């Protein structure tokens, strides 16, 4: 079914900078929808370093990546942002009435007056393991993410990897799977100790199998895998029954579809002015790691500053008739009402 959503602003990317943009837009009564490829919010902070301490967020001598994301979510609660996760914005085009139309890879459509691109380093893309012919099975037997758990019900599932994603999906999918094998290069896991403990208990009880080695080939045909060929560290080969394979080899960042939206780019970054953070297309702003300008620093605090100035410019597009008076949250009762604190 095609969704059709109308809103003031669509923010492409729910990383820390996209999240803070909701706050700055909200203070100016601007409603925002956020779209992110990942199934969770927080961008690099949540995906790449949730437990690492950050030391240069103003007001927080130390806060973890996920801790910052949680605080940002608290801060933007009064503005009720709508999140559309696990979908990638694929196209962006101007409508005859001047609004922007965005479409996602899930087929839903958004119409808005302003677009804020807060897409960071672009889209996180799964790393493909070096298995000959694996492309022939991608999207049918080989998947790099679990979109619907039901797609794995009744299958011989092979999960490859030793990090949190591999372990989380081992624990979540084994009750549905006909059989589940976890394959890792060595008997040492980077995932959280609690997940590793639970996985080992399942192996001990015989509910799942743990195998050490690497996938060296796939057997099957017509897009359907039947077996994976696994090589152990001595080079001995064995076959593992597998009709669904989930390799979790980490993520890389690629600019992705942003490159096709007709916006000027400079070395895969979007040049903006430093008064409004607007792109070469009026009404499209770019903030955070995705933009470039003289002196740019890829720091979260710089993205927050950019969000504030972007909002002050976007408001004139969203509400062209409105007179805007600059106010402090400490002293403005109207801002405090919006924040729900009085
Ligand atoms: C290991 C590490 C440590 C770091 N430490 C610090 C630090 O100490 N201090 C600091 O200030 N900064 C630090 N950084 C940098 C900081 O994380 C980035 O500056 C920050 O995440 C940028 O935020 P962002 O919102 O612009 O982009 P991101 O966090 O990259 O978020 C962008 C989001 O956009 C989404 N997206 C991209 N394209 C699309 C699309 N087409 N459709 C839908 N969604 C899309 C992505 O999925 C992603 O979730 C660190 C980075 C790393 C990797």
């Amino acid at each position: 079914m095609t969704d059709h959503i109308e809103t003031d602003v669509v923010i492409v990317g729910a990383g820390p900078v996209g999240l803070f943009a909701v706050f700055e837009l909200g203070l100016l009564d601007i409603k925002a929808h956020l779209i992110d490829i990942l199934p969770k919010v927080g961008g690099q902070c949540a995906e790449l370093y949730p437990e690492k301490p950050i030391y240069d967020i103003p007001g927080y001598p130390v806060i973890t990546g996920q801790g910052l994301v949680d605080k940002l979510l608290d801060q933007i609660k009064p503005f009720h942002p709508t999140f559309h996760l696990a979908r990638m914005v694929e196209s962006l085009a101007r409508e005859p009435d001047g609004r922007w139309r965005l479409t996602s890879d899930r087929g839903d459509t958004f119409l808005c007056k302003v677009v804020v691109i807060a897409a960071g380093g672009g889209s996180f893309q799964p790393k493909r393991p070096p298995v000959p012919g694996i492309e022939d099975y991608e999207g049918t037997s080989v998947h790099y993410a679990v979109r619907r758990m039901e797609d794995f019900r009744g299958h011989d599932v092979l999960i490859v990897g030793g990090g949190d994603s591999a372990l989380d999906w081992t624990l979540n999918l084994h009750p549905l799977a006909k059989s589940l094998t976890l394959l890792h290069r060595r008997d040492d896991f980077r995932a959280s100790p609690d997940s590793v403990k639970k996985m080992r208990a399942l192996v001990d009880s015989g509910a799942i199998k743990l195998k050490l080695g690497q996938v060296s080939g796939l057997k099957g045909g017509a897009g359907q895998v039947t077996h994976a060929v696994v090589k152990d560290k001595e080079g001995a080969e064995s076959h593992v029954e597998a009709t669904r394979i989930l390799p979790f080899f980490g993520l890389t960042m690629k600019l992705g579809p942003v490159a096709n939206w007709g916006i000027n780019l400079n070395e895969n970054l979007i040049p903006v002015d430093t008064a409004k953070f607007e792109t070469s297309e009026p009404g499209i702003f770019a903030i955070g790691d995705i933009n470039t300008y003289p002196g740019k620093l890829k720091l979260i605090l710089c993205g927050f500053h950019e969000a504030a100035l972007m909002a002050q410019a976007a408001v004139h597009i969203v509400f062209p008739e409105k007179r805007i008076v600059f106010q402090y949250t400490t002293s403005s009762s109207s801002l405090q009402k919006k924040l729900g604190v009085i």
Side-chain angles (χ1 to χ4, degrees):
M1 200 184 85
T2 303
D3 294 344
H4 181 96
I5 293 161
E6 296 195 23
T7 181
D8 296 331
V9 172
V10 169
I11 302 174
V12 182
V17 177
L19 293 178
F20 191 64
V22 171
F23 184 83
E24 291 296 333
L25 292 166
L27 289 180
L28 296 164
D29 300 318
I30 302 173
K31 299 257 169 298
H33 283 239
L34 297 101
I35 309 172
D36 204 296
I37 301 165
L38 297 174
K40 61 179 175 215
V41 304
Q44 296 174 47
C45 298
E47 187 65 27
L48 300 181
Y49 58 102
E51 293 181 356
K52 275 206 168 111
I54 312 175
Y55 299 101
D56 56 355
I57 302 298
Y60 289 103
V62 57
I63 187 163
T64 61
Q66 187 60 48
L68 176 65
V69 173
D70 294 343
K71 292 281 178 203
L72 286 166
L73 284 174
D74 268 359
Q75 195 169 18
I76 64 177
K77 235 183 227 155
F79 303 115
H80 308 292
T82 313
F83 293 102
H84 306 267
L85 299 177
R87 63 201 70 208
M88 174 162 74
V89 177
E90 273 193 335
S91 70
L92 170 59
R94 178 94 71 179
E95 288 287 282
D97 67 3
R99 287 185 298 172
W100 294 102
R101 174 183 290 270
L102 297 96
T103 46
S104 84
D105 58 349
R106 295 256 200 112
D108 33 24
T109 304
F110 300 80
L111 280 177
C112 59
K113 295 178 188 159
V114 164
V115 175
V116 176
I117 304 177
S123 48
F124 293 93
Q125 305 213 345
K127 287 186 192 158
R128 178 185 276 157
V131 178
I134 192 167
E135 311 85 81
D136 299 345
Y137 299 105
E138 285 171 352
T140 47
S141 282
V142 175
H143 300 267
Y144 296 101
V146 177
R147 299 254 189 228
R148 272 175 17 107
M149 283 175 54
E150 273 307 305
D151 295 342
F152 295 80
R153 184 181 291 282
H155 280 278
D156 292 310
V157 177
L158 173 64
I159 296 184
V160 192
D164 280 312
S165 300
L167 273 279
D168 286 352
W169 286 117
T170 296
L171 301 179
N172 283 305
L173 289 178
H174 92 86
L176 277 104
K178 183 171 154 211
S179 74
L180 192 145
T181 306
L182 173 64
L183 174 70
H184 188 39
R185 275 174 298 134
R186 52 180 192 278
D187 197 9
D188 178 25
F189 294 85
R190 295 183 315 280
S192 83
D194 182 54
S195 304
V196 176
K197 202 169 139 199
K198 287 184 179 145
M199 177 274 290
R200 291 205 189 277
L202 289 173
V203 173
D204 290 345
S205 71
I208 66 169
K209 286 188 208 115
L210 172 63
K211 223 171 151 53
L212 301 182
Q214 299 190 53
V215 179
S216 59
L218 298 174
K219 301 260 176 229
Q224 297 299 329
V225 175
T226 54
H227 291 82
V229 184
V230 172
K231 232 184 205 166
D232 69 17
K233 67 176 189 308
E234 277 77 42
E237 278 190 352
S238 58
H239 282 193
V240 174
E241 267 184 291
T243 49
R244 289 285 180 272
I245 302 182
L246 282 162
F248 291 112
F249 281 52
L251 300 164
T252 53
M253 289 175 89
K254 296 221 174 90
L255 183 61
V258 177
N260 309 322
W261 296 345
I263 302 167
N264 286 348
L265 293 177
N266 180 3
E267 295 186 354
N268 279 347
L269 296 168
I270 305 178
V272 288
D273 67 84
T274 50
K276 301 177 180 170
F277 298 93
E278 203 166 24
T279 68
S280 58
E281 287 293 326
I284 303 186
F285 297 79
I287 57 175
D289 277 14
I290 191 83
N291 74 13
T292 179
Y293 53 85
K296 167 74 182 180
L297 286 179
K298 286 190 183 182
L299 283 177
I300 296 165
L301 73 92
C302 297
F304 290 170
H305 159 80
E306 296 160 14
L309 268 64
M310 170 281 295
Q312 294 293 328
V315 71
H316 295 291
I317 301 174
V318 177
F319 304 120
E321 311 298 330
K322 203 160 154 181
R323 200 170 75 85
I324 306 300
V325 182
F326 175 75
Q327 302 175 85
Y328 289 127
T329 54
T330 39
S331 42
S332 159
S333 52
S334 96
L335 291 186
Q336 289 166 7
K337 270 190 201 132
K338 292 177 200 178
L339 291 168
V341 291
I342 56 169

